[in-house]
């Protein structure tokens, strides 16, 4: 679907997406094959007992690699903005709320394995840097869909970093609120792009609140909900995450990454 519009940019984006995701696929298949040693794939039942084994540590490392690839964390984060060459309904369904949150959901399921070794600290560093980089890079983009994609990347970094600190329920809560409003953002962006005669450059857009009031209202509501405007849905999850960061024992670098990126 990324190469639906047949030009060189779409082909390059499709190759980048396919080859980056191949790493995660291979790690996931290796983890599945290695888990056959335990006799079943119902890992929820024996995760508590087996989480100190070296095999389960290897499986957890493979799962973490797969999740970092699927959820586009550093160093695999380049494919998510490139995949915005896809049509906008594909972006709204796949690249905002379903495909890229599969890695976060996998790590929510495997949260006991991550908590024991160096993996959680490494994941905290990488996802905090992803959150910071995506938020900083979105300030210098002109492509409307790439800005929304970088916002997705920032929220994924937030989910994975709070997950690596052990608050997996907060990560899942933020995943749900983000998925709903990010899909709404992409649908509004698709409406805007369609009415702009397929131009995605935000420098060409002006007075949209006069010409498209309903679309801009929905866009603003979704945007404020994702920013954490008080008493909207994103406020509860995001503010709870930041509150738990402040209550936790975390060093000043991670603290700075969280709060600067959220700002």
């Amino acid at each position: 679907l990324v190469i639906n519009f047949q030009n060189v940019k779409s082909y390059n984006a499709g190759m980048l997406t396919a080859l980056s995701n191949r790493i995660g696929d291979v790690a996931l298949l290796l983890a599945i094959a290695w888990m056959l040693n335990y006799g079943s794939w119902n890992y929820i039942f024996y995760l508590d007992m087996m989480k100190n084994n070296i095999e389960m540590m290897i499986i957890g490392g493979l799962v973490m690699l797969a999740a970092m690839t699927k959820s586009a964390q550093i160093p695999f984060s380049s494919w998510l903005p490139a995949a915005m060459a896809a049509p906008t309904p594909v972006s709204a369904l796949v690249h905002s709320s379903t495909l890229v949150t599969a890695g976060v959901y996998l790590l929510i399921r495997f949260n006991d394995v991550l908590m024991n070794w160096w993996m959680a600290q490494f994941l905290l560093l990488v996802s905090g840097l992803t959150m910071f980089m995506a938020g900083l890079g979105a300030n210098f983009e002109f492509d409307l869909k790439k800005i929304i994609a970088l916002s997705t990347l920032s929220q994924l970094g937030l989910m994975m970093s709070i997950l690596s600190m052990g608050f997996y329920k907060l990560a899942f809560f933020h995943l749900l609120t983000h998925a709903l409003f990010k899909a709404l953002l992409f649908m509004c962006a698709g409406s805007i792009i369609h009415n702009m005669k397929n131009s995605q450059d935000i420098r060409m857009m002006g007075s949209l609140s006069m010409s498209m009031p309903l679309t801009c209202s929905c866009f603003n509501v979704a945007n404020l909900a994702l920013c954490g405007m008080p008493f909207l849905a994103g406020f509860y999850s995001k503010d709870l995450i930041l509150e738990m960061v402040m209550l936790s024992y975390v060093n000043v670098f991670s603290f700075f990454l969280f709060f600067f990126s959220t700002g």
Side-chain angles (χ1 to χ4, degrees), residues 3-134:
I3 57 172
N4 180 33
F5 300 121
Q6 319 236 321
N7 53 37
V8 176
K9 188 186 167 197
S10 293
Y11 290 154
N12 289 334
M15 282 303 285
L16 179 60
T17 306
L19 292 177
S20 299
N21 276 298
R22 219 34 77 218
I23 304 172
D25 295 341
V26 166
L28 207 53
L29 287 173
L30 279 173
I32 287 172
W34 211 315
M35 208 182 274
L36 199 58
N37 293 333
Y38 289 115
S40 93
W41 286 299
N42 296 326
Y43 57 91
I44 299 290
F45 298 128
Y46 54 79
L47 203 57
D48 254 353
M49 190 174 66
M50 298 293 191
K51 65 184 180 184
N52 297 317
N53 288 4
I54 185 76
E55 290 94 351
M56 199 44 114
M57 178 181 168
I58 294 172
I59 288 173
L62 286 171
V63 166
M64 197 179 82
L65 177 64
M68 278 170 57
T69 314
K70 293 292 182 189
S71 293
Q73 303 297 302
I74 291 175
F76 309 112
S77 54
S78 59
W79 69 265
L80 186 59
M84 288 299 116
T88 313
V90 176
S91 303
L93 280 171
V94 176
H95 294 130
S96 72
S97 43
T98 44
L99 174 90
V100 290
T101 50
V104 180
Y105 186 71
L106 200 61
L107 287 187
I108 288 172
R109 286 296 193 186
F110 274 92
N111 57 17
D112 280 343
V113 182
L114 297 177
M115 286 302 113
N116 278 352
W117 301 289
W118 48 269
M119 282 193 262
Q121 292 169 0
F122 175 69
L123 190 64
L124 178 63
L125 173 69
V126 163
S127 50
L129 287 175
T130 307
M131 177 167 55
F132 180 67
M133 176 201 72

